[in-house]
Amino acid sequence: MEGFPGGATDLSQLQSTMEAVEHACSSIQMHVNPGEAEKIILSLRLSPLPYQSCRFILETSQIPNARFQAAGAIGDAAIREWGILTDENKRSLISFCLCYVMEHSGAADAYVQAKVSAVAALLIKRGWLDFAETEKMAIFSEVKQAILGIHGMNAQYTGINFLESLVSEFSPSTSTAMGLPREFHEQCLLSLELNYLKEFYCWAQASALSVTDKIIGCGATVSEDKVCSAALRLMFQILNWNFRQSTNTLGHSINKISASSYGIRHDAVLLKKYERSLVQPGPIWNDVLLSSGHTVWLLNLYATLRQKYSSDVIWIDSPLAVSARQLIVQLCSLTGTIFPADNGEMQIKHLIQILSAVLQWIEPPNVISVAIQSGRNESEMIDGCHALLSLATLTSTVLFDNLLRSIRPFGTIHLLSTLTCEVVKAHTVIRDEEETWASEALDILLEIWSVILGRTDTDKDSVSTEGISAASNLFNVIVESHLKAAAESAFDDDGDADYFHASISKRDERLGSYALIARVAADVTVPFLIKLFSERFALINQRNNTSDPTQTLEELYWLLLITGHVLTDSGEGETMLVPEALQVGFSDILEEAQHPVVVLSWSIIHFARHSLDPEMRRTYFSPRLMEAIIWFLARWVDTYLMPLDATKGQISTPGHEHGHPHGYKLSKKVLLSFAGEHNQGVLVLDTIVRISMMTLNSYPGENELLAVTCQKLFVALVRRRNICVHLVGLDSWLDLARAFANERTLFAITARLQRSLAQTLVCAASGLKDSEASNQYVRDLMGPMTAYLVNISNRNDLKAVAQQADVIYMVCCLLERLRGAAKATQTRTQKAIFEMGSAVMAPLLTLLEIYKNQSAVVYLILKFMVDFVDGQIIFLNAQETSILVSFCLRLLEIYSSQNIGKISLSLSSSLRSEAQAEKYKDLRALLQLLTNICSKDLVDFSSSSDELDSPDIAEVIYVGLHIVTPLISLDLLKYPKLSRDYFALVSHMLEVYPEKVARLNKEAFAHIIGTLDFGIHHQDTDVVEKCLRAVNALASYHYNERNAGKEGLGAQNTDSHGSNGKLQDSILSHFLKLLLQLLLFEDFRMDLAGSAADALLPLLLCEHDLYQRLVQELLEREANPAMKTRLASAFHSLTSSNQLSSSLDRPNRHRFRKNLHGFLTEVSGFMRIK
Amino acid sequence: MSDEEHHFESKADAGASRTFPQQAGTIRKNGYLVIKGRPCKVVEVSTSKTGKHGHAKCHFVAIDIFNGKKLEDIVPSSHNCDVPHVTRTDYQLIDISEDGFVSLLTDNGSTKDDLRLPTDESLLTQIKDGFAEGKDLVVSVMSSMGEEQICSLKDIGPK
């Protein structure tokens, strides 16, 4: 072969190289001395001009692995030596690879051919921009010949395979790294898309066509099947391309509102969940994909083959069938400008075509489901679900429903409903395995339901009457199947994992989708739920104590969960509204007593009240049932109890008011007021408080139940002030508060839950009439806690008593309670809580000394102070601040005296790592404490403005940093939470008190700088941003000080950071270099550009000479003259455009941000390498 | 209820029993627990139920604080467990005798001579080396349920 690189080599040498490589390959396979073998192969890959040897191996070796390695070596070497190869060399390498695969197309060990093919693709891409168009044409015309079948079936298959590698080499996510700028990859991609992609598609189509006759007829061989499925796969791959041309024009040509006009949606971004995307190839593809009847051909092909192989059960899973279906589903997601602007006519026609073909895969659902359960492959049915999902995504709900009507007497939603019914049935029957076909299908189907029902613009009118009844049928089936499954599983042992869900969130997601379905037909489904509940309540009431109620309990458990989801939405931390569908779903019901939602709510609450009876409780209210009740009540309280709308007037979408008659408003009002303040609200509130108190007292050790009560239900009760107003007036609530303050019973709850309890009790103070009453309420609540702590710390025999386990437990509980109260600080209770805190300050120091070996107590003391400072500091006047700050200082000193220089022994490694984890937690708490103290100088609400003896917070921080920094190691900074806290503190410090930091002693300062250096390279953008802020603060301080004629960082700047022993850089110049390196060469995130600009500007100003020098160096290093000019002009405009001046004021920083942004966009294309 | 009011002013008295009953559900990771008569530190707690509608049980995995052996226990979560009193006391190290006993200075000025050197290699070397260099060393002694052991060391200043 002419021009093959590497010159002549003698045969014996080639032979010996081959033998060495062969030996290495076989010893790797047999796992003999793999290290040595890898070295030999690596040396082949790295050797200069290895082409002759590789070629020799490829052509003569009998060992496929050796040929594989040789092919890889050609690729590696050619990319590396691309510069020294002549054009002729390159061409000859490519044609060698291509000829090789063509010649060996029928050979065994296909992976070798695939590798050679991939190498050819790689080399073609590498030379893509250098080769003349005619050269590429020549290569591709050869390939085309092969694909069209001139050289036989094997060559055809090989050709298609080659194009597959080529396309994947050109798509950004699968391309090989070549050490070239991103721009290069981008240009290749655009050029391929523009000039070849469509052509490739046509070739694939043609090659498929050339074999289909044989496949459909008889006498097809394996290789025809292979060619056809490869061609379909290539087409699928091409349609997976992320088309650039069309997306560029899309924004202009399509107006957003088009969705409503004829039902095709363009805002669809989903399908992501299943790793699929919309296909938007643009108008030039119209002829290939649409007008030529391509889709119809494909659908017919699949249908014919399906018919032919109907007796062959495995055919559905054969490569040909799989790739054909993949392509069909992909064509389903076709959208955008490829369709002419004909009001969606053509696209709708296209979708109906596909739907009618896909129907066969999923219809009739019951037959399909039975078939799959008796062993038929499910992949076709799953693909059918995917196709439906694409349809649902691309169409409005009305259009989606109507698509099927031209083919069937019913709508698509009806079909979807029957299909889902079958899948739910199958899903609840098989519950042994985790991932079954039914659960996969169910997930997709529920996603479809969420898509069509969960849109913000869907209202009741967009689902037809038929669709509504289909939904209510479906909900019936869902509930019945799950109840059956629940009853059957009631006696299963509960090992945390529940039966048909892998995790709670997964279960909730499904229940949420079920609820969407139920709400569409609320007027049927809610009464249905009422009926189911009353049947079971009746069962329980009739029961004599002989029969086992467990099955009924489990059914009730599930019913409570689904009802909670139907009646309420789950939005953490948002103000819950009554779901819109329920508000509009009962327009004909005007009487409160008849409203199904009201009836359902009352019946559940009435049932829950039975739990107050000890006899009933023992027999029926198991911890698990109680959990569901409490969970339901928490959600119900958030949504229906004294809702804000009822008092404030209605918030609703204006559009609805016109369409609905008077009845709509009335029924909505019923819903918002039945548990309102002037109705049953207070009574229900009292019941709920009693039930929750009973839970705390009567279910000892049931931690999950107690957690739901304390962290969900109580939180819901005190969330809104209008409820608190009534709460604090209730005897039951006051009983709870009294028990909390004065009795031992509540100490039986886990300490952590006592914290939440304290928090909610204190929060409820917001319902009292004034600040005086609120403070008194808090004093009454927390007084006994502080008294105990003061008392115990004053005991003479403290040393002996303190170490007793019961005392430690008590102290922990009390500290948790104080923490809860501190977390609940509000303006109106701040005073009482400050009193509480100051009362325990001295005791806490005593306890910190006494409990220095009880890490749990130490941690709680620190955490209490963190929360206390956080809640209080903005309110305090100078005197109070000084009390607090000096206390914190003492605390820090004691802590550090106990912990510096201590060596702990532990007998087992697990105990030792526990001890380390405890240290880490302490450290985090300390950092948080310092950060919270810092915030005093930023936000200050205190009334007095006398600055007389305002304590120097900076001083505390200064001391604090000296204490904390030695404890922080770079290893510890690898923990994400700790590093975030640490860098938050450091950046804050440097911003607020740069002068203090500059005064730190040398080690502490160097330590901080070292951690900044580490932090800038961190993965976490949050941390990087904080470090950049810190650098900005440091440099700005230095610059401003120097301008004012002072020394700024002075000595700190010039030395230090010389630990590596190299030439000592000043800190600022070090950061300047670091930042430039980061911006230019590393994968810098654009969202950090703003903070990077802020840090870079003062650095530039401080170290102007160095900057000039660095720029000069960079320019000199750039070999390519065109790039050099671009880089130079980019640097020039970075510092001189937009009238950038040399000040650090806001407008100037803003200008620099703009400049840097432009600079990065300009430069990143050719400076960053892949 | 009323007889329980104002109940939790400190009623603990010195020299009480060696363990204290505490509800199993409130014992958390890193807490102490007696299993098979040995004082342990809890390293893992998990809960399960006897049947879906039964009561919760706690499953503890814990490590003996003296010999490092792993022990496990299952207790209904509403029942009480024994929690050991674990104390640590700091003593200044006065002398190391040749038979492997140490001599410690107590708070009230007398000496305590009944403790052996620890078996842990690294701690042992640090104590011996530190003592040989004449450093002022403070050792902390962990005791629980009648057993004692040196568990950590602190240097309170050179020479």
Side-chain angles (χ1 to χ4, degrees):
Chain A
M1 196 171 285
E2 263 178 68
F4 200 82
T9 330
D10 70 298
L11 200 60
S12 60
Q13 204 177 335
L14 291 175
Q15 191 74 31
S16 69
T17 315
M18 180 174 90
E19 274 161 18
V21 172
E22 279 180 347
H23 181 73
C25 286
S26 45
S27 57
I28 280 188
Q29 256 176 345
M30 290 183 295
H31 226 76
V32 187
N33 203 356
E36 195 59 32
E38 267 166 30
K39 234 182 255 167
I40 294 176
I41 292 172
L42 198 65
S43 75
L44 176 72
R45 288 177 167 245
L46 292 176
S47 60
L49 299 172
Y51 311 104
Q52 292 290 2
S53 321
C54 292
R55 181 180 175 181
F56 184 75
I57 296 173
L58 274 169
E59 282 169 348
T60 40
S61 174
Q62 297 300 312
I63 295 180
N65 241 344
R67 279 179 278 152
F68 179 86
Q69 296 294 356
I74 292 184
D76 281 9
I79 292 296
R80 192 179 60 235
E81 300 174 334
W82 196 257
I84 58 169
L85 295 177
T86 64
D87 284 356
E88 194 139 291
N89 290 157
K90 296 169 188 167
R91 268 197 301 278
S92 124
L93 276 174
I94 292 171
S95 69
F96 165 72
C97 289
L98 280 177
C99 291
Y100 181 87
V101 282
M102 289 302 168
E103 278 162 23
H104 296 77
S105 54
D109 302 307
Y111 71 95
V112 178
Q113 276 67 259
K115 181 74 187 177
V116 179
S117 195
V119 169
L122 178 70
L123 298 185
I124 289 179
K125 181 173 169 187
R126 181 62 184 85
W128 192 257
L129 301 180
D130 311 337
F131 294 151
E133 214 44 43
T134 47
E135 289 176 273
K136 288 186 240 177
M137 296 286 220
I139 296 171
F140 285 126
S141 79
E142 282 296 314
V143 177
K144 183 181 175 185
Q145 302 280 315
I147 289 180
L148 295 183
I150 313 278
H151 308 300
M153 218 85 78
N154 285 332
Q156 206 171 0
Y157 178 73
T158 312
I160 296 169
N161 240 335
F162 166 70
L163 284 191
E164 242 186 294
S165 341
L166 193 75
V167 171
S168 96
E169 189 57 65
F170 276 74
S171 354
S173 56
T174 43
S175 60
T176 321
M178 303 179 177
L180 286 177
R182 280 172 192 225
E183 252 177 20
F184 169 82
H185 296 268
E186 195 67 14
Q187 281 165 0
C188 291
L189 178 140
L190 284 178
S191 149
L192 189 80
E193 177 180 330
L194 211 57
N195 304 325
Y196 291 96
L197 212 50
K198 197 172 123 186
E199 229 170 299
F200 291 169
Y201 194 90
C202 295
W203 299 349
Q205 203 180 349
S207 79
L209 269 172
S210 72
V211 287
T212 41
D213 284 346
K214 269 198 184 162
I215 296 176
I216 292 172
C218 32
T221 57
V222 181
S223 39
E224 271 127 13
D225 256 12
K226 229 170 95 182
V227 168
C228 191
S229 67
L232 292 174
R233 212 167 51 228
L234 175 61
M235 290 191 253
F236 169 70
Q237 192 198 13
I238 292 175
L239 287 189
N240 243 334
W241 184 266
N242 183 9
F243 290 95
R244 302 293 165 99
Q245 291 314 102
S246 63
T247 39
N248 289 343
T249 55
L250 190 70
H252 307 290
S253 57
I254 290 180
N255 48 355
K256 294 273 172 187
I257 47 160
S258 56
S260 50
S261 54
Y262 50 84
I264 297 290
R265 304 176 65 94
H266 296 285
D267 55 345
V269 279
L270 24 122
L271 299 170
K272 281 259 167 56
K273 198 168 167 190
Y274 298 98
E275 291 177 353
R276 307 215 348 267
S277 55
L278 295 179
V279 185
Q280 300 175 318
I284 53 159
W285 283 74
N286 183 299
D287 54 341
V288 183
L289 293 178
L290 296 170
S291 54
S292 63
H294 171 64
T295 312
V296 181
W297 165 79
L298 178 67
L299 296 173
N300 287 340
L301 172 68
Y302 185 77
T304 319
L305 290 176
R306 197 173 180 274
Q307 184 64 36
K308 183 181 166 197
Y309 290 99
S310 54
S311 56
D312 183 355
V313 282
I314 24 177
W315 180 79
I316 286 187
D317 210 22
S318 71
L320 179 56
V322 170
S323 45
R325 280 199 311 268
Q326 260 184 335
L327 187 58
I328 292 173
V329 175
Q330 194 71 358
L331 282 171
C332 230
S333 323
L334 200 60
T335 187
T337 45
I338 182 168
F339 294 104
D342 57 356
N343 287 346
E345 229 170 79
M346 187 155 181
Q347 186 166 5
I348 293 171
K349 204 178 123 220
H350 171 76
L351 292 176
I352 291 176
Q353 250 166 18
I354 296 182
L355 177 62
S356 60
V358 167
L359 274 183
Q360 300 192 346
W361 310 353
I362 49 179
E363 215 189 15
N366 53 346
V367 177
I368 302 268
S369 164
V370 168
I372 294 175
Q373 284 176 68
S374 53
R376 181 189 159 121
N377 193 298
E378 75 274 7
S379 55
E380 187 179 67
M381 186 259 185
I382 301 270
D383 282 338
C385 295
H386 277 301
L388 283 182
L389 178 57
S390 295
L391 292 181
T393 310
L394 286 172
T395 56
S396 70
T397 307
V398 178
L399 177 59
F400 176 73
D401 196 24
N402 285 336
L403 281 179
L404 192 63
R405 288 190 200 277
S406 55
I407 323 169
R408 291 281 183 280
F410 45 80
T412 322
I413 293 184
H414 179 84
L415 172 69
L416 182 63
S417 156
T418 37
L419 184 61
T420 317
C421 281
E422 292 307 322
V423 172
V424 168
K425 281 186 206 156
H427 173 64
T428 47
V429 171
I430 15 168
R431 51 190 167 88
D432 305 331
E433 294 146 63
E434 288 262 298
E435 282 303 314
T436 59
W437 68 272
S439 87
E440 190 185 351
L442 185 59
D443 281 343
I444 305 169
L445 291 170
L446 290 179
E447 181 76 19
I448 302 175
W449 284 104
S450 307
V451 167
I452 59 175
L453 300 177
R455 287 184 181 129
T456 45
D457 53 351
T458 347
D459 53 25
K460 208 166 154 34
D461 304 330
S462 55
V463 184
S464 61
T465 334
E466 179 206 55
I468 292 175
S469 82
S472 84
N473 271 342
L474 171 59
F475 187 69
N476 264 10
V477 170
I478 289 173
V479 172
E480 307 248 305
S481 320
H482 277 275
L483 283 181
K484 195 159 155 267
E488 279 166 11
S489 72
F491 295 102
D492 293 0
D493 253 350
D494 180 32
D496 275 342
D498 261 326
Y499 56 108
F500 44 71
H501 42 84
S503 68
I504 300 289
S505 69
K506 174 93 182 171
R507 180 193 73 185
D508 280 352
E509 203 185 315
R510 277 196 185 146
L511 288 172
S513 311
Y514 292 163
L516 274 183
I517 296 166
R519 284 182 198 165
V520 177
D523 51 341
V524 185
T525 51
V526 176
F528 177 60
L529 287 171
I530 297 177
K531 183 180 110 234
L532 293 171
F533 267 113
S534 68
E535 282 167 11
R536 279 152 191 87
F537 293 156
L539 261 179
I540 282 191
N541 284 331
Q542 287 160 15
R543 213 179 279 273
N544 38 18
N545 285 332
T546 49
S547 56
D548 185 348
T550 309
Q551 289 198 332
T552 315
L553 298 186
E554 185 60 19
E555 286 173 1
L556 278 173
Y557 176 81
W558 194 83
L559 277 175
L560 281 165
L561 293 188
I562 185 66
T563 309
H565 277 98
V566 173
L567 294 189
T568 63
D569 285 324
S570 66
E572 289 287 324
E574 293 170 29
T575 307
M576 286 297 109
L577 299 176
V578 177
E580 188 70 21
L582 296 182
Q583 294 193 27
V584 300
F586 302 92
S587 51
D588 50 340
I589 291 166
L590 311 177
E591 283 291 311
E592 186 181 298
Q594 262 119 52
H595 198 296
V597 174
V598 177
V599 176
L600 184 56
S601 303
W602 286 157
S603 80
I604 292 176
I605 290 170
H606 182 74
F607 172 69
R609 198 154 47 200
H610 284 308
S611 68
L612 294 171
D613 173 41
E615 184 61 32
M616 285 292 276
R617 181 166 67 235
R618 205 165 22 257
T619 344
Y620 300 115
F621 288 87
S622 71
R624 181 174 163 92
L625 180 61
M626 213 55 216
E627 239 173 84
I629 291 175
I630 297 287
W631 172 87
F632 173 84
L633 288 177
R635 279 178 73 134
W636 186 86
V637 163
D638 260 341
T639 314
Y640 292 96
L641 187 67
M642 307 180 195
L644 287 172
D645 301 30
T647 50
K648 275 194 187 164
Q650 295 167 2
I651 312 161
S652 59
T653 33
H656 288 139
E657 302 294 337
H658 307 294
H660 295 281
H662 186 58
Y664 158 76
K665 270 190 182 171
L666 270 183
S667 98
K668 180 170 171 172
K669 206 170 160 207
V670 166
L671 215 47
L672 293 176
S673 66
F674 76 101
E677 289 169 77
H678 307 296
N679 211 328
Q680 305 283 320
V682 182
L683 211 61
V684 184
L685 185 62
D686 183 56
T687 309
I688 292 176
V689 173
R690 279 175 203 288
I691 292 173
S692 37
M693 219 168 119
M694 177 278 298
T695 319
L696 297 184
N697 286 318
S698 309
Y699 290 89
E702 299 294 342
N703 286 338
E704 273 130 62
L705 172 58
L706 298 175
V708 183
T709 313
C710 292
Q711 292 171 342
K712 286 249 157 63
L713 182 53
F714 277 132
V715 173
L717 287 178
V718 298
R719 184 167 290 140
R720 279 178 283 132
R721 198 172 155 200
N722 64 328
I723 299 185
C724 288
V725 170
H726 297 278
L727 205 56
V728 291
L730 289 176
D731 283 344
S732 50
W733 185 260
L734 296 180
D735 281 344
L736 177 68
R738 207 173 301 130
F740 176 81
N742 300 316
E743 290 169 25
R744 279 190 86 82
T745 44
L746 290 175
F747 282 100
I749 312 172
T750 321
R752 192 187 293 183
L753 295 180
Q754 293 184 42
R755 185 208 310 163
S756 339
L757 198 56
Q759 194 175 350
T760 40
L761 282 165
V762 173
C763 269
S766 67
L768 287 161
K769 62 180 189 303
D770 55 24
S771 144
E772 191 42 52
S774 309
N775 280 317
Q776 193 51 46
Y777 168 86
V778 174
R779 276 181 213 120
D780 291 344
L781 203 60
M782 302 307 296
M785 320 291 145
T786 47
Y788 180 91
L789 286 173
V790 171
N791 186 5
I792 192 160
S793 68
N794 286 334
R795 285 178 66 141
N796 295 330
D797 56 349
L798 176 63
K799 251 191 148 162
V801 173
Q803 303 301 331
Q804 288 174 17
D806 50 345
V807 177
I808 296 176
Y809 180 68
M810 196 64 161
V811 169
C812 286
C813 290
L814 293 175
L815 285 171
E816 285 282 21
R817 288 174 171 205
L818 293 184
R819 240 187 107 184
K823 275 170 109 76
T825 311
Q826 293 166 344
T827 324
R828 49 169 47 213
T829 52
Q830 174 267 328
K831 217 169 127 224
I833 290 175
F834 184 73
E835 285 165 19
M836 172 192 91
S838 12
V840 295
M841 279 178 183
L844 287 184
L845 292 180
T846 318
L847 294 176
L848 189 64
E849 294 269 16
I850 286 286
Y851 288 117
K852 60 181 174 194
N853 289 318
Q854 297 289 350
S855 54
V857 182
V858 173
Y859 179 65
L860 280 176
I861 293 175
L862 295 179
K863 280 306 266 191
F864 165 64
M865 281 318 292
V866 170
D867 290 329
F868 183 70
V869 172
D870 188 31
Q872 293 285 327
I873 195 137
I874 50 170
F875 297 110
L876 302 182
N877 61 30
Q879 195 197 352
E880 291 164 330
T881 312
S882 119
I883 297 176
L884 182 67
V885 161
S886 50
F887 169 73
C888 290
L889 208 52
R890 279 295 294 146
L891 194 78
L892 285 171
E893 281 163 8
I894 295 178
Y895 181 84
S896 78
S897 74
Q898 289 166 356
N899 286 283
I900 288 178
K902 185 165 152 183
I903 302 150
S904 287
L905 148 83
S906 288
L907 288 164
S908 80
S909 60
S910 70
L911 281 187
R912 198 174 309 135
S913 68
E914 287 303 323
Q916 264 162 8
E918 279 160 10
K919 273 283 103 63
Y920 153 75
K921 278 163 73 185
D922 283 358
L923 218 46
R924 260 195 79 203
L926 287 174
L927 291 173
Q928 286 166 351
L929 181 60
L930 290 175
T931 314
N932 288 347
I933 296 176
C934 263
S935 67
K936 177 69 177 175
D937 279 8
L938 295 183
V939 195
D940 197 343
F941 292 159
S942 67
S943 44
S944 62
S945 56
D946 53 316
E947 291 296 317
L948 291 174
D949 51 4
S950 156
D952 191 356
I953 288 182
E955 198 59 35
V956 189
I957 310 288
Y958 178 70
V959 176
L961 267 186
H962 267 287
I963 293 172
V964 175
T965 39
L967 299 173
I968 302 245
S969 64
L970 291 187
D971 270 343
L972 272 178
L973 285 179
K974 285 174 188 152
Y975 293 95
K977 281 180 175 173
L978 181 79
S979 72
R980 224 169 288 162
D981 284 338
Y982 174 76
F983 287 112
L985 176 67
V986 168
S987 69
H988 197 116
M989 282 291 308
L990 283 165
E991 278 174 319
V992 188
Y993 315 110
E995 70 286 350
K996 288 279 171 197
V997 177
R999 263 181 38 216
L1000 282 172
N1001 69 26
K1002 218 177 231 173
E1003 278 125 78
F1005 188 80
H1007 191 271
I1008 288 183
I1009 298 301
T1011 52
L1012 282 181
D1013 196 44
F1014 173 81
I1016 284 186
H1017 292 107
H1018 210 279
Q1019 296 286 330
D1020 190 340
T1021 47
D1022 227 24
V1023 168
V1024 179
E1025 208 213 313
K1026 280 173 188 142
C1027 291
L1028 290 172
R1029 267 168 49 195
V1031 172
N1032 167 26
L1034 204 63
S1036 307
Y1037 166 74
H1038 185 67
Y1039 183 70
N1040 287 334
E1041 289 286 288
R1042 238 182 23 184
N1043 277 359
K1046 295 180 210 155
E1047 65 168 349
L1049 288 176
Q1052 303 274 30
N1053 187 29
T1054 45
D1055 61 26
S1056 88
H1057 213 84
S1059 55
N1060 50 8
K1062 281 188 195 160
L1063 188 69
Q1064 301 199 345
D1065 253 346
S1066 85
I1067 288 163
L1068 295 181
S1069 49
H1070 170 75
F1071 279 122
L1072 179 60
K1073 282 181 194 162
L1074 191 69
L1075 210 55
L1076 280 180
Q1077 168 78 18
L1078 203 66
L1079 288 171
L1080 288 173
F1081 300 110
E1082 280 163 41
D1083 206 7
F1084 191 76
R1085 305 251 320 242
M1086 267 320 234
D1087 47 350
L1088 288 172
S1091 352
D1094 286 351
L1096 191 59
L1097 181 61
L1099 287 173
L1100 284 188
L1101 296 176
C1102 287
E1103 302 283 337
H1104 197 70
D1105 298 341
L1106 175 72
Y1107 170 71
Q1108 296 294 4
R1109 222 167 51 232
L1110 286 175
V1111 170
Q1112 214 49 51
E1113 272 172 33
L1114 276 169
L1115 289 177
E1116 276 160 23
R1117 251 194 298 175
E1118 184 61 58
N1120 184 333
M1123 295 293 159
K1124 196 173 197 161
T1125 337
R1126 276 175 73 181
L1127 192 60
S1129 81
F1131 269 119
H1132 180 73
S1133 57
L1134 174 65
T1135 44
S1136 51
S1137 62
N1138 282 332
Q1139 294 106 39
L1140 195 75
S1141 66
S1142 62
S1143 78
L1144 286 175
D1145 54 5
R1146 221 180 101 76
N1148 200 45
R1149 280 187 187 273
H1150 189 72
R1151 282 194 287 268
F1152 189 69
R1153 275 187 177 216
K1154 242 192 219 159
N1155 287 357
L1156 185 74
H1157 206 274
F1159 174 79
L1160 285 176
T1161 2
E1162 166 66 18
V1163 140
S1164 63
F1166 61 92
M1167 290 304 277
R1168 259 176 265 153
I1169 301 276
K1170 184 185 171 184
Chain B
M1 279 284 171
S2 62
D3 59 340
E4 285 209 299
E5 281 201 12
H6 301 287
H7 217 229
F8 65 91
E9 63 269 13
S10 48
K11 56 160 197 163
D13 43 2
S17 67
R18 307 199 304 184
T19 62
F20 153 77
Q22 189 179 329
Q23 189 200 88
T26 62
I27 295 178
R28 293 183 47 201
K29 197 180 161 191
N30 292 332
Y32 294 104
L33 179 69
V34 178
I35 298 180
K36 298 191 178 83
R38 300 287 308 161
C40 301
K41 185 168 188 169
V42 179
V43 289
E44 205 183 303
V45 189
S46 53
T47 53
S48 58
K49 282 182 179 173
T50 37
K52 278 178 187 293
H53 290 272
H55 290 280
K57 292 175 298 186
C58 296
H59 181 194
F60 295 108
V61 179
I63 291 177
D64 189 318
I65 54 174
F66 291 117
N67 64 22
K69 289 209 174 96
K70 196 191 212 180
L71 293 164
E72 295 187 41
D73 204 359
I74 296 182
V75 189
S77 73
S78 60
H79 288 203
N80 280 340
C81 289
D82 284 338
V83 175
H85 295 308
V86 179
T87 56
R88 287 172 202 240
T89 323
D90 287 353
Y91 300 99
Q92 187 155 357
L93 179 67
I94 313 174
D95 192 22
I96 299 178
S97 67
E98 283 176 10
D99 55 357
F101 279 88
V102 291
S103 187
L104 304 173
L105 183 66
T106 65
D107 270 356
N108 56 25
S110 57
T111 60
K112 176 177 170 65
D113 303 300
D114 57 348
L115 267 178
R116 283 183 165 280
L117 277 169
T119 43
D120 179 83
E121 275 307 323
S122 69
L123 190 67
L124 182 65
T125 357
Q126 298 215 27
I127 291 180
K128 280 187 167 167
D129 293 355
F131 186 73
E133 287 166 29
K135 284 182 181 162
D136 276 339
L137 296 181
V138 167
V139 296
S140 80
V141 174
M142 181 168 65
S143 66
S144 180
M145 301 176 73
E147 239 174 291
E148 285 187 313
Q149 196 174 65
I150 293 179
C151 67
S152 73
L153 168 78
K154 200 166 138 186
D155 182 358
I156 57 166
K159 306 250 169 179

